[in-house]
Amino acid sequence: MAGLSLSGVRVEFPGLAAPVLDIAALAVARGEDVAVTGPSGSGKTTLINVMTGLEKPAAGSVRWDDTDLVRLGESQRDAWRAGHVGLVMQEFHLFPGLSAIENVLLPVRFRLFSVPAATRERALALLKRVGLSRPDQDIATMSRGEMQRVAVARALLGRPAVLIADEPTASLDAASGAVVADLLIELAREENATLIAVTHDPRLSGRLGRRLSLVAGRIAEDVAQGEGAAPSSATPYTPPAASQGQVTP
Amino acid sequence: MIPVRFIAADLRRLWAGSLVIVLLIGLATALGIAVGIQERALRLGSARAADRFDLVVGAAGAETQLVLSSVFLQAAPLTLLPGSVLKDLAEDPRVDWAAPVGFGDSFNDLPIVGTTGEFLTDKGRRPLAEGEAFQKPTDAVVGALVDLRLGDTVKPVHGLPGEAGHTHDELAYTVTGRLAATGTPWDRAILVPIETVWSIHGLDGHTADAHDHDHDHGHDHAHEDHDHDHDHDGVQDHAAEDHLGPPWAAGIPGVPAVIVKPKSIANAYQLRQQYRTDTTLGVFPAEVLTRLYATLGDARVILTAIAIGTQALVGAAVVLVCVVHLSQRRRQIGALRALGAPRLSIFGVVWVELLLLIGLGVLLGLGLGLLGAKVAASFFTQQSGIALPVSLEWSDVGFAGMLMLVAAVIALVPAWLAYRQPAAAALRG
């Protein structure tokens, strides 16, 4: 399967002379796990916004398998994202007043009149899997680490093909960050989902198979790492044969 | 889909702000509702109060004053009508009964009104609630709400309610009957034989010449001038030997007004026409009220305009609060979109939340408006004696519904703004 393929993507913001994102070509194969790193303002969040259809680039194409997100309308992109992407954000974006289980089920409630029993069962199982034993606990009474674990469970509820995390450990203490990093990697593998994580956290980025470094909106480095690859040495990246993607360093 | 739990949690979380919005909308709605209810109640109440008074004849002057004084017992100076007018009316074949009303005294701030037994019972058609009508000149029949019991004694004080005056020590009435409740100022009046009122004020036809009254009992109520010398040494004895009510003897004293019950509508119009002369004035109280209602209607238009202006201001404030609130929720909306919530659902969430607050506010306003009108009506009734039938009508519900409809349309603005927010930009905050 082709996975993700970006081609000639440019994102410009009004008032800024240079594009905030300028990717000639990028391919991510299905099932890959990729860390996106780079200094603040390098375009990391914009890149994942483009990948998830939250941001429509001024030029280029963003293809997930046979679907070019650029050609879809906003509502279609919303629907596509709901069906294919699990999102974990730095600030969790859980909703106070709702319990852990209700937060996990919230995206489904926006799309279905009533939640199927199987979905509810899966939500409970996911909460248990991320180590939360009280699904009815109010979010307001949880620690930040617990909140992020709820967010991970929420992201995985719809069995997404791709799990995208934007600085998932940045606002957590070291212990909680390590737990969340472990969970993301393990669950993405268990669910056979592509994992793309924007992170400054070496405990997370170092454990992913590929690292993209962005500088000023461009890919400055794209290296394979992990088992067999020395974390400190940048290895020129060769995309999996299936993707046939062109990678621009 | 619009997740109900999410909306409920959202409103619970923002309860303080939500409460303020509901209260604002409630108060603005209540103002409009109360104006409508109160105005309608005033019309109904005054119309019912005037129901028994087909035709009123008084001395030439202001129609409204004549009706206010004779029907609504509002203290005001009235020029006396010659007694012959009362006699003529009572003997007119077109008249069922004609009863004088004479004022001038009070008891515990309740007006004492001189009249006849025919007026009390509508010539036997309306029985008293208890006791009996005048048998003796010192008998008194009290209105339904007067706090006196049968057998109680009433010592009249010269002067209208609220005015200082001397006590008529020469006479005491005894309560012998109580009128059924009418929801009119007459419920708070003490009715006594007109002959006794004439007599106590030295206007008795039989005795007027014998007494030297240096004060004006012409009921223009120059009561400040209390230098008169009552010499009613034989009021009770004298009155007891007279019969009460019609037929009237020639030379009876004047009265401020005569309440006339014509035998037919045609007769009523003829009599009204006949008594519209240079010296007398015949009026249909209903006709005068209609003119008053027109004025009341004008006042209602102004009050309604003020109420609508207030509602518009509150509406604008609510929209402003919503737009500010929306800008504070940009990231939340962005996150919902990022999680895959459809734009239409976001629109729905914002719109339904607002609609719920507006709906609660309007419902609260209906209740508060009714309550406010009831409170205002009870004060009015206490002051005037006119019972105001305060009730919520379909027109009030329709008004509230119209408010809801307008508010629902206005609430589309913040909902549309939420719908239009680009997800990525919203997430950036």
Side-chain angles (χ1 to χ4, degrees):
Chain A
M1 295 293 283
L4 169 68
S5 166
L6 268 67
S7 172
V9 168
R10 279 171 68 87
V11 175
E12 294 163 349
F13 285 168
L16 295 179
V20 291
L21 194 68
D22 187 2
I23 308 286
L26 172 65
V28 176
R30 184 174 282 249
E32 261 195 288
D33 42 28
V34 182
V36 180
T37 61
S40 292
S42 58
K44 304 184 295 293
T45 298
T46 305
L47 175 62
I48 61 170
N49 283 349
V50 165
M51 287 175 173
T52 55
L54 283 167
E55 190 95 49
K56 190 172 182 176
S61 69
V62 180
R63 301 185 71 85
W64 281 96
D65 298 336
D66 296 329
T67 305
D68 186 354
L69 297 186
V70 178
R71 291 179 181 276
L72 299 182
E74 195 156 354
S75 298
Q76 291 170 306
R77 295 203 302 276
D78 287 344
W80 178 86
R81 189 166 51 253
H84 295 83
V85 178
L87 207 54
V88 179
M89 292 168 272
Q90 180 180 345
E91 288 304 324
F92 327 135
H93 286 298
L94 299 174
F95 296 91
L98 293 178
S99 63
I101 181 79
E102 282 306 323
N103 264 284
V104 173
L105 292 171
L106 187 59
V108 181
R109 290 203 186 278
F110 269 102
R111 299 225 162 240
L112 297 176
F113 186 71
S114 70
V115 175
T119 307
R120 192 174 182 83
E121 286 304 314
R122 177 167 165 78
L124 288 168
L126 280 168
L127 282 174
K128 198 172 176 185
R129 174 67 184 83
V130 299
L132 296 172
S133 56
R134 293 166 58 199
D136 293 324
Q137 187 177 353
D138 192 334
I139 285 299
T141 64
M142 290 185 157
S143 69
R144 294 181 70 79
E146 287 173 322
M147 287 186 193
Q148 193 61 301
R149 281 187 271 160
V150 174
V152 170
R154 179 179 63 188
L156 288 164
L157 181 69
R159 301 184 194 279
V162 57
L163 184 60
I164 291 188
D166 187 3
E167 303 279 15
T169 59
S171 63
L172 304 179
D173 59 56
S176 299
V179 171
V180 168
D182 286 346
L183 278 172
L184 278 172
I185 294 166
E186 288 167 19
L187 285 168
R189 284 176 186 159
E190 284 172 22
E191 301 282 330
N192 198 26
T194 304
L195 174 63
I196 300 172
V198 169
T199 182
H200 287 108
D201 186 347
R203 287 166 308 184
L204 177 59
S205 64
R207 293 176 61 190
L208 302 182
R210 179 180 171 191
R211 181 164 55 81
L212 283 175
S213 290
L214 290 183
V215 175
R218 293 166 183 268
I219 296 174
E221 194 178 34
D222 184 354
V223 293
Q225 55 180 24
E227 289 175 16
S232 56
S233 61
T235 307
Y237 178 69
T238 307
S243 76
Q244 295 297 309
Q246 187 69 38
V247 175
T248 303
Chain B
M1 288 299 126
I2 301 169
V4 178
R5 286 166 198 245
F6 178 76
I7 289 175
D10 223 25
L11 292 178
R12 265 202 310 273
R13 185 167 61 89
L14 306 166
W15 69 270
S18 303
L19 188 67
V20 169
I21 289 179
V22 168
L23 282 176
L24 267 177
I25 294 170
L27 289 173
T29 307
L31 189 65
I33 295 284
V35 166
I37 292 179
Q38 197 62 36
E39 189 262 352
R40 191 174 53 239
L42 210 53
R43 276 173 195 256
L44 273 172
S46 55
R48 283 181 193 173
D51 204 32
R52 285 182 67 195
F53 302 81
D54 294 341
L55 175 66
V56 177
V57 176
E63 291 186 356
T64 307
Q65 196 54 66
L66 177 61
V67 171
L68 285 178
S69 295
S70 59
V71 177
F72 297 105
L73 298 182
Q74 297 296 303
L78 283 180
T79 309
L80 281 194
L81 198 59
S84 58
V85 176
L86 170 62
K87 181 174 162 56
D88 291 348
L89 277 166
E91 291 169 1
D92 195 306
R94 295 166 297 179
V95 171
D96 186 12
W97 54 259
V101 284
F103 320 106
D105 294 333
S106 64
F107 175 76
N108 285 352
D109 276 345
L110 302 170
I112 293 179
V113 184
T115 186
T116 63
E118 287 180 336
F119 175 77
L120 297 183
T121 61
D122 193 7
K123 208 174 180 181
R125 284 184 281 262
R126 190 191 296 258
L128 298 187
E130 58 175 331
E132 53 186 21
F134 314 138
Q135 302 296 322
K136 299 196 300 288
T138 52
D139 286 351
V141 172
V142 295
L145 299 178
V146 173
D147 191 21
L148 288 172
R149 285 174 301 186
L150 300 193
D152 282 354
T153 301
V154 173
K155 269 194 167 298
V157 173
H158 189 67
L160 298 173
E163 291 179 351
H166 66 264
T167 304
H168 288 291
D169 289 325
E170 68 275 21
L171 172 80
Y173 294 108
T174 304
V175 178
T176 59
R178 180 183 300 279
L179 291 173
T182 58
T184 71
W186 294 83
D187 287 346
R188 292 168 192 276
I190 298 168
L191 287 82
V192 297
I194 185 71
E195 291 86 347
T196 314
V197 174
W198 284 332
S199 177
I200 200 170
H201 292 109
L203 293 169
D204 191 309
H206 305 283
T207 57
D209 297 338
H211 296 297
D212 176 25
H213 290 284
D214 60 354
H215 71 292
D216 177 15
H217 274 300
H219 290 262
D220 57 0
H221 301 292
H223 294 292
E224 302 84 349
D225 179 16
H226 282 173
D227 59 349
H228 58 288
D229 170 26
H230 281 298
D231 185 17
H232 306 293
D233 49 347
V235 167
Q236 301 200 36
D237 297 340
H238 165 77
E241 62 199 36
D242 287 345
H243 83 278
L244 299 175
W248 304 106
I252 53 170
V255 289
V258 179
I259 311 296
V260 181
K261 179 89 173 177
K263 285 182 176 164
S264 69
I265 293 174
N267 290 339
Y269 276 93
Q270 287 166 5
L271 288 162
R272 172 175 163 275
Q273 195 58 34
Q274 183 181 331
Y275 283 92
R276 289 179 87 87
T277 67
D278 290 343
T279 53
T280 60
L281 176 67
V283 295
F284 295 145
E287 195 179 32
V288 174
L289 282 177
T290 305
R291 277 201 298 277
L292 275 176
Y293 292 159
T295 313
L296 206 60
D298 293 343
R300 190 188 69 151
V301 167
I302 293 167
L303 285 174
T304 304
I306 292 170
I308 288 174
T310 310
Q311 282 149 11
L313 273 177
V314 168
V318 168
V319 169
L320 183 72
V321 167
C322 292
V323 170
V324 170
H325 173 62
L326 208 61
S327 66
Q328 289 167 344
R329 286 180 70 178
R330 266 173 70 88
R331 286 173 68 84
Q332 187 198 49
I333 289 169
L336 286 173
R337 291 284 308 283
L339 296 173
R343 286 206 295 175
L344 263 178
S345 295
I346 301 291
F347 177 95
V349 163
V350 175
W351 194 61
V352 168
E353 274 189 21
L354 273 174
L355 222 53
L356 276 174
L357 295 181
I358 291 164
L360 281 173
V362 169
L363 275 179
L364 178 73
L366 270 176
L368 281 180
L370 184 62
L371 187 71
K374 275 187 188 290
V375 170
S378 78
F379 276 117
F380 183 83
T381 305
Q382 224 162 26
Q383 295 293 316
S384 68
I386 301 173
L388 299 187
V390 170
S391 64
L392 206 59
E393 300 284 331
W394 279 111
S395 60
D396 303 314
V397 178
F399 173 75
M402 186 59 71
L403 270 182
M404 273 289 288
L405 200 67
V406 172
V409 172
I410 292 173
L412 291 174
V413 175
W416 174 249
L417 289 175
Y419 176 88
R420 296 249 324 185
Q421 272 185 17
L427 262 179
R428 280 193 289 271

